[in-house]
Amino acid sequence: STLFFLSFLFPLSQMLYWTLKFPKYFKDLDIISLNLNTLFLVLLSTAVLILFSFVTNYGNRVTKSKFLNFLSVFSISGYAIPGVILAVALITFFAWLSETLVYFFGISSIKSIFIGSILGLVIAYFVRFYSLAFNGIKSGYSRINKSIDESSYLLGHSKIKTFTLVHVPYLKNSIFLISILIAVEIIRELPLTLILRPYNFETFATQAYIYAAQDLLEAAAVPSLFLIIWASFFIFITSKYILSEK
């Protein structure tokens, strides 16, 4: 543990030293915009992932559909695909879809809707990190006995009320922890964000890469430091929450 702490402390202190030594790089950055862009992507993508994970897991629980179960298992394989390959695959697919729609229906191109847009970026995050959300909610559902659902039905509650009044309160811990995990993954995700982001839309990860690619390591220290701060903040909140629950 001491070795791990030292290996973490050294680069952190180095980035902090460069930030203080070269304050002009800090002044040149639009910190507010970078924070808003990063947090916007985190909140929007996390909400979409959690919502769809709830829908698929609850659908599997209620209907026991083999097709829905197969679709869920197949969809979680995106986490194993490297970000660069996934980004290129999505660009190729959306370009083909746009050309097909233009050829057969004569409509205008839809490339700009999915490529270089927030929507395309959220879709990419969905494919990439859906397995985290799905497995997290699925693990929480495995601790809810089916007899609880049957008792709720006997008391006159519909499936919707059972979901909102029984399942969601039971799964609040899973939702919180999975949201933090997804947030940390999205904050540090580089290839997908770099390739699919809208024009002039930067996050801390992309800004750090741009500076590093230009051999401006001192300038890259500022966005990298904020990356560590945000990730550490989420991890700290999770640790405090787990300790308070215990």
Side-chain angles (χ1 to χ4, degrees):
S1 58
T2 304
L3 182 61
F4 173 78
F5 177 76
L6 292 176
S7 63
F8 171 78
L9 184 62
F10 177 74
L12 180 63
S13 60
Q14 188 68 35
M15 284 183 287
L16 184 60
Y17 169 75
W18 280 341
T19 301
L20 296 175
K21 185 177 180 180
F22 302 98
K24 64 176 182 178
Y25 294 125
F26 181 85
K27 295 178 181 178
D28 291 341
L29 283 179
D30 189 353
I31 298 297
I32 296 178
S33 177
L34 289 174
N35 275 290
L36 291 177
N37 291 345
T38 302
L39 292 179
F40 174 71
L41 288 178
V42 167
L43 294 176
L44 179 60
S45 303
T46 301
V48 171
L49 284 163
I50 294 296
L51 177 62
F52 274 86
S53 299
F54 259 123
V55 171
T56 52
N57 275 286
Y58 185 69
N60 285 335
R61 184 182 180 89
V62 174
T63 64
K64 298 180 180 179
S65 171
K66 292 184 178 179
F67 173 75
L68 188 59
N69 184 61
F70 170 77
L71 188 63
S72 299
V73 173
F74 176 76
S75 61
I76 65 177
S77 61
Y79 193 66
I81 304 175
V84 175
I85 297 177
L86 181 59
V88 173
L90 288 175
I91 291 175
T92 304
F93 171 75
F94 290 134
W96 169 83
L97 179 63
S98 176
E99 292 174 0
T100 302
L101 293 176
V102 169
Y103 179 78
F104 285 102
F105 300 99
I107 63 176
S108 57
S109 176
I110 61 171
K111 290 182 182 179
S112 59
I113 299 177
F114 299 102
I115 301 176
S117 67
I118 296 296
L119 176 60
L121 199 52
V122 171
I123 293 174
Y125 288 150
F126 180 86
V127 177
R128 183 82 167 89
F129 302 119
Y130 178 71
S131 61
L132 299 178
F134 178 83
N135 287 326
I137 301 299
K138 183 179 180 180
S139 176
Y141 260 121
S142 66
R143 296 191 293 270
I144 303 178
N145 198 294
K146 292 290 184 65
S147 61
I148 296 178
D149 294 18
E150 295 171 359
S151 300
S152 178
Y153 299 151
L154 288 174
L155 291 173
H157 292 309
S158 64
K159 292 181 178 180
I160 300 298
K161 281 191 174 181
T162 301
F163 174 75
T164 56
L165 299 179
V166 179
H167 293 174
V168 174
Y170 259 91
L171 296 171
K172 64 178 182 179
N173 290 346
S174 298
I175 296 172
F176 179 78
L177 295 176
I178 293 302
S179 299
I180 295 296
L181 181 60
I182 294 173
V184 173
E185 289 283 353
I186 292 176
I187 283 175
R188 68 183 185 85
E189 175 60 37
L190 176 61
L192 285 178
T193 312
L194 189 66
I195 296 173
L196 296 174
R197 76 191 192 284
Y199 176 74
N200 205 26
F201 184 92
E202 304 296 345
T203 64
F204 287 118
T206 61
Q207 192 65 63
Y209 173 81
I210 291 173
Y211 282 143
Q214 299 172 352
D215 290 332
L216 297 173
L217 298 181
E218 295 83 359
V222 180
S224 300
L225 187 62
F226 273 90
L227 276 175
I228 294 176
I229 291 173
W230 275 115
S232 300
F233 170 76
F234 285 128
I235 294 172
F236 174 77
I237 293 297
T238 306
S239 302
K240 294 288 289 184
Y241 181 80
I242 293 174
L243 290 175
S244 65
E245 286 295 310
K246 289 182 178 180

